Amino acid sequence: RMIMDTLSNRHRYEPLQRGLRLGFEYLAAFDPATPDGRYAIDGEQVFALVQSYDTGPATERRFETHRWNIDIQYLVAGRERILHLPFAGLEVETPYDADVDAVFYHDPAASSSILLTAGDFAIFHPQDAHKGGCMAGGREAVRKVVIKVGVDS
């Protein structure tokens, strides 16, 4: 299930999996001046996607799941609301695409939401459908790092 916490508590989750530990080590040493892009941490097993964008209405975003990656979504700056729920029973909108390791879903009737602020992270496992980039009160510029951790790493 989804986990939300602050980076200062990463020590609680690092023992769960080697890939999580490597991802949290990267985040602990992250330089906010790092340009947007993809950065290898442990080859294709663990890598970082550094992103800058504006949040928007939830209706402009899509729920997704991943088969082979766990996401650590860490907010460097700004505020972002992320909707989430277990994927069981969701209606597929776009079938699985191995190139992006994602399935996209139609919106369900209801879901839960979390609010990430600078220093917060959320971990989404393959069974956790999630819809990020949603605004919390209004559009806002965010800086985010998504660590992709292979489920077998």
Side-chain angles (χ1 to χ4, degrees):
R1 287 290 178 128
M2 187 276 304
I3 297 169
M4 180 188 162
D5 209 334
T6 63
L7 192 59
S8 62
N9 290 326
R10 68 186 182 275
H11 62 279
R12 295 179 179 166
Y13 311 101
E14 290 174 335
L16 298 176
Q17 187 177 0
R18 177 182 171 275
L20 292 177
R21 179 180 52 77
L22 293 173
F24 283 124
E25 287 172 357
Y26 178 89
L27 293 174
F30 182 73
D31 178 354
T34 302
D36 285 1
R38 181 182 167 138
Y39 297 88
I41 297 170
D42 184 23
E44 290 298 308
Q45 284 298 307
V46 184
F47 58 91
L49 301 173
V50 179
Q51 308 168 345
S52 300
Y53 56 87
D54 289 339
T55 59
T59 55
E60 296 177 1
R61 309 295 192 221
R62 299 189 299 171
F63 276 97
E64 64 182 39
T65 59
H66 311 291
R67 288 188 183 168
W68 304 111
N69 287 296
I70 297 166
D71 279 2
I72 305 172
Q73 298 196 15
Y74 173 68
L75 215 59
V76 177
R79 296 181 321 146
E80 175 177 310
R81 193 166 54 95
I82 301 176
L83 306 179
H84 66 95
L85 74 161
F87 81 93
L90 289 180
E91 184 183 344
V92 172
E93 178 182 283
T94 305
Y96 181 72
D97 181 343
D99 290 337
V100 294
D101 184 38
V103 176
F104 294 97
Y105 301 90
H106 291 285
D107 280 349
S111 63
S112 297
S113 98
I114 57 172
L115 175 67
L116 294 184
T117 60
D120 293 340
F121 69 84
I123 300 174
F124 297 100
H125 293 88
Q127 69 272 19
D128 300 319
H130 52 283
K131 180 195 280 199
C134 301
M135 62 188 190
R139 291 186 187 271
E140 189 169 340
V142 297
R143 184 99 163 112
K144 184 177 188 178
V145 180
V146 177
I147 305 291
K148 296 288 191 174
V149 177
V151 293
D152 296 328
S153 64

